[in-house]
Amino acid sequence: MKKIRARVIEYQSFDKEELVRQVKKQKLENRVEKFYKELEGFAKNENHSSFLGFKSKERLRVKNYVGLIETKSGVLEIYPKVVLKNDDSKAENLKNHTRQKLQEKLKEAYKFEYSNDTQNLKPSFDKFPTDKFQSTNPKLLLIELLRTLKNSPFKESKLSSLKSEKMPLFDIFISMFLQELEMIFKKGFKRNYVSIEENRTFLKGKLLFAQNLKYNFIHKERFFTQSDEFILNNPANRLIKSTLALLKTKTKNYEPDIKNFLERLECVEFSKNFKKDFLQCQQTRHYDYYKNLLSWCQLFLKGKTFTPYQGEDKAYALLFPMEKLFEDYVAAMFKRSNPALKIKPQVCCKNMLIDVNNDKQKLFPLKPDLLIEKNHKKIIADTKWKILNNDEKFGISQSDLYQVFAYAKFYNAKEVWLIYPFCERTESLKEKMSQKEWVFNEEQETCKQAENSQDVNKNPNIHLKVYFAPLPSKIKPFKAKKENNKQKN
């Protein structure tokens, strides 16, 4: 039965009528009511209030997670918010910003630069992809962000943007998984020697006299033997087969490929304990070349980055926190652009409290998004997936300031950066912010703006700067670039 496929973006609210408008081309309007009720059932579960909730009695609202929610009747795809101006000048603005001008504008201040005294460190995103403006397809934006997600299998995928733009989101994930599985198949599935005791009709291996006497006292034609078999039935292959069985129920487009691999693993059992099998794979180096494929299995089976849901109507969710995607993207691009710099993402070596009555247990760890070090100078950078506004405080929240100030004090940094996404709405704001700098005045409880950079440098207090990171439009795999260069040479 063909399923409904609907699309929304972060924080968007929708009702039945919105779904009906989306599925008119699919000619599935008669299933919308059932699909909406299934989504309501998902939202009513208190464990899923972070993903999907109610804006009103008759309207649902997605939260700050992107990915997909699948029910019996349909799939709700959730994409990042790609913010554009909502006025008539939108088309004119896009015309005025040619690709070349935009690249120059983004590059002019986006490079790590140092003066002789190492005090004028500036971030740049000159190697961030900027070949398109933020009218980028939200699906492509999500795929490119996922490719930079730390400890995920997406970064190794070679699926083209042109192909993925036309595919359902879940089919994109399945295609990436099958690509990786095909690579493992070409290298050869891992086999293990396993000791098997079996009552056979022929002699193989070592005859076990006691068991043979017990089971074959009458059946002289049989032999109870023990032999070492070189077989495919190991924890990694069991997890792969279980993943294939799950994906077979989720797609029709890749059904022949999935059946083909299931036949190749016919002698392998299904995993009966995911946790135990994953643990066994982690405890040995024999499965190193399976690492990325097992990450896919964790994604689909174990719920490493999503929450599976079981209720009256079964649903399946594959969701990613947008703040984490943006954070890992910025960290990956900084490292790629500045390999000589010491950049530590998510470093955790400080804690706010110590429990002196409990063996000095450390509490409330402080984990800044990025800790940048150069010649004994430290800078704390914190990413924020928010769109600033043009009011007096530019929409910078007080809680964000408290957070970065605490980071700076505990890590002894004299400069902190707040990094927001660059889009059309923040283009003019970026120009204003580049001329401003703030100082945390430790003698007062407020922050004052410093208009003269020379006065700021004399101030020993902590400096605050705001930057904007351009979002990806099309990223070529970094490893592939090196390979291409070798081929050219």
Side-chain angles (χ1 to χ4, degrees):
M1 183 178 70
K2 189 176 180 181
K3 288 189 174 185
I4 290 173
R5 206 174 94 191
R7 301 179 182 184
V8 293
I9 62 172
E10 288 177 274
Y11 297 109
Q12 181 181 336
S13 64
F14 61 95
D15 55 15
K16 294 177 188 176
E17 285 70 23
E18 172 65 26
L19 295 181
V20 169
R21 286 192 293 271
Q22 287 200 39
V23 303
K24 277 186 178 179
K25 291 183 179 179
Q26 303 174 41
K27 298 181 180 180
L28 298 172
E29 295 93 329
N30 58 327
R31 299 182 195 167
V32 167
E33 187 170 354
K34 185 179 180 183
F35 180 42
Y36 190 81
K37 285 183 178 179
E38 290 167 355
L39 291 174
E40 282 185 325
F42 185 92
K44 287 176 182 177
N45 189 306
E46 59 181 12
N47 295 325
H48 308 122
S49 57
S50 300
F51 312 129
L52 182 66
F54 288 86
K55 183 177 181 181
S56 63
K57 188 176 180 180
E58 296 181 351
R59 289 187 73 85
L60 292 170
R61 186 187 185 190
V62 294
K63 303 295 181 67
N64 61 323
Y65 281 75
V66 292
L68 59 90
I69 301 172
E70 182 187 35
T71 69
K72 285 183 176 180
S73 304
V75 179
L76 181 69
E77 298 178 353
I78 309 168
Y79 294 109
K81 53 187 178 186
V82 184
V83 184
L84 296 170
K85 293 179 182 177
N86 295 321
D87 53 42
D88 296 334
S89 63
K90 171 184 170 182
E92 187 65 29
N93 287 331
L94 290 175
K95 288 180 183 178
N96 293 335
H97 292 90
T98 64
R99 180 179 302 179
Q100 184 177 0
K101 288 182 179 180
L102 179 63
Q103 287 178 338
E104 291 174 357
K105 186 172 291 188
L106 290 171
K107 289 181 179 180
E108 62 185 9
Y110 285 128
K111 190 175 183 180
F112 278 114
E113 299 174 349
Y114 302 92
S115 64
N116 293 331
D117 57 3
T118 70
Q119 294 301 312
N120 298 321
L121 179 60
K122 295 181 180 179
S124 180
F125 310 92
D126 66 325
K127 290 189 179 180
F128 279 45
T130 58
D131 62 324
K132 293 180 183 177
F133 202 57
Q134 298 316 314
S135 56
T136 306
N137 185 307
K139 184 189 295 183
L140 297 184
L141 173 60
L142 173 58
I143 297 301
E144 302 304 344
L145 287 172
L146 287 172
R147 280 178 173 160
T148 61
L149 184 62
K150 190 178 179 181
N151 298 325
S152 80
F154 296 96
K155 56 186 176 182
E156 301 295 335
S157 172
K158 296 178 177 60
L159 188 68
S160 68
S161 297
L162 181 63
K163 185 178 179 181
S164 60
E165 187 174 2
K166 302 174 182 178
M167 295 167 60
L169 188 58
F170 209 165
D171 280 1
I172 293 174
F173 295 155
I174 294 173
S175 177
M176 291 177 175
F177 169 76
L178 292 175
Q179 276 184 353
E180 188 69 26
L181 183 55
E182 183 67 32
M183 290 172 59
I184 297 298
F185 172 72
K186 289 178 180 179
K187 291 180 181 179
F189 286 127
K190 178 70 179 174
R191 292 173 180 265
N192 288 355
Y193 279 105
V194 177
S195 180
I196 296 177
E197 295 182 1
E198 189 176 0
N199 201 10
R200 299 183 170 105
T201 57
F202 55 91
L203 186 60
K204 183 179 180 181
K206 182 173 67 174
L207 181 66
L208 300 178
F209 289 97
Q211 289 89 334
N212 190 59
L213 186 63
K214 178 180 178 181
Y215 293 103
N216 298 329
F217 184 75
I218 299 176
H219 299 281
K220 302 297 182 182
E221 75 284 2
R222 295 183 183 176
F223 306 90
F224 201 100
T225 62
Q226 180 188 53
S227 61
D228 292 331
E229 303 285 340
F230 197 49
I231 61 175
L232 287 170
N233 191 22
N234 56 54
N237 291 335
R238 287 197 293 268
L239 291 168
I240 293 169
K241 188 171 182 178
S242 297
T243 305
L244 288 167
L246 171 66
L247 298 182
K248 186 181 176 183
T249 65
K250 303 296 181 185
T251 182
K252 295 294 182 183
N253 295 333
Y254 290 97
E255 192 172 6
D257 297 320
I258 293 173
K259 283 184 176 180
N260 185 24
F261 280 115
L262 284 172
E263 289 173 1
R264 291 169 179 172
L265 297 171
E266 186 178 2
C267 59
V268 178
E269 299 175 356
F270 291 104
S271 177
K272 297 178 182 178
N273 189 326
F274 297 154
K275 185 176 181 180
K276 182 180 178 181
D277 283 344
F278 277 119
L279 186 61
Q280 288 183 14
C281 293
Q282 293 167 2
Q283 291 174 342
T284 177
R285 295 181 180 178
H286 297 309
Y287 300 106
D288 282 352
Y289 73 104
Y290 269 61
K291 184 177 180 181
N292 205 53
L293 185 61
L294 289 174
S295 294
W296 277 112
C297 294
Q298 280 187 312
L299 190 73
F300 290 120
L301 294 177
K302 197 179 175 184
K304 189 176 180 182
T305 60
F306 62 91
T307 302
Y309 164 76
Q310 296 286 333
E312 292 181 0
D313 294 306
K314 290 183 179 180
Y316 181 88
L318 192 62
L319 299 166
F320 306 86
M322 197 57 224
E323 290 86 353
K324 177 64 177 172
L325 289 181
F326 183 60
E327 172 193 320
D328 283 6
Y329 160 71
V330 171
M333 292 298 103
F334 269 180
K335 284 187 172 183
R336 185 177 297 185
S337 300
N338 304 273
L341 267 183
K342 192 176 181 180
I343 302 174
K344 300 178 181 178
Q346 284 289 307
V347 62
C348 182
C349 57
K350 303 290 183 180
N351 294 76
M352 291 193 72
L353 294 180
I354 294 178
D355 190 348
V356 295
N357 297 322
N358 190 14
D359 297 327
K360 294 186 177 180
Q361 181 184 0
K362 295 180 180 180
L363 304 172
F364 300 102
L366 292 163
K367 296 173 66 176
D369 293 343
L370 291 172
L371 175 61
I372 304 166
E373 296 182 87
K374 178 69 174 181
N375 295 344
H376 306 292
K377 179 177 181 179
K378 292 182 180 179
I379 294 178
I380 297 292
D382 208 51
T383 60
K384 302 295 179 186
W385 181 249
K386 301 175 183 177
I387 304 299
L388 295 184
N389 55 45
N390 227 336
D391 63 14
E392 184 180 354
K393 297 179 182 178
F394 301 100
I396 299 174
S397 71
Q398 196 167 4
S399 60
D400 290 344
L401 293 179
Y402 288 155
Q403 185 181 28
V404 294
F405 182 73
Y407 289 156
K409 295 296 288 184
F410 276 84
Y411 285 88
N412 194 27
K414 289 300 179 182
E415 190 171 313
V416 294
W417 298 342
L418 287 174
I419 302 175
Y420 297 89
F422 179 78
C423 65
E424 190 177 351
R425 271 181 54 183
T426 58
E427 183 188 4
S428 60
L429 188 59
K430 172 185 169 293
E431 299 295 332
K432 293 182 181 179
M433 300 292 272
S434 64
Q435 306 299 321
K436 296 181 183 297
E437 186 170 356
W438 287 268
V439 171
F440 287 94
N441 192 332
E442 299 178 42
E443 296 177 358
Q444 303 177 10
E445 295 181 357
T446 59
C447 298
K448 66 178 182 179
Q449 182 178 325
E451 300 288 350
N452 192 327
S453 60
Q454 294 180 352
D455 294 339
V456 173
N457 290 333
K458 294 178 182 178
N459 196 314
N461 296 320
I462 300 167
H463 300 180
L464 169 69
K465 296 179 181 178
V466 176
Y467 295 103
F468 297 87
L471 298 175
S473 54
K474 187 178 181 182
I475 304 175
K476 294 180 180 179
F478 200 46
K479 292 182 179 179
K481 283 186 178 181
K482 291 184 178 180
E483 293 172 1
N484 292 337
N485 291 335
K486 288 181 181 178
Q487 292 175 0
K488 289 179 182 178
N489 296 333

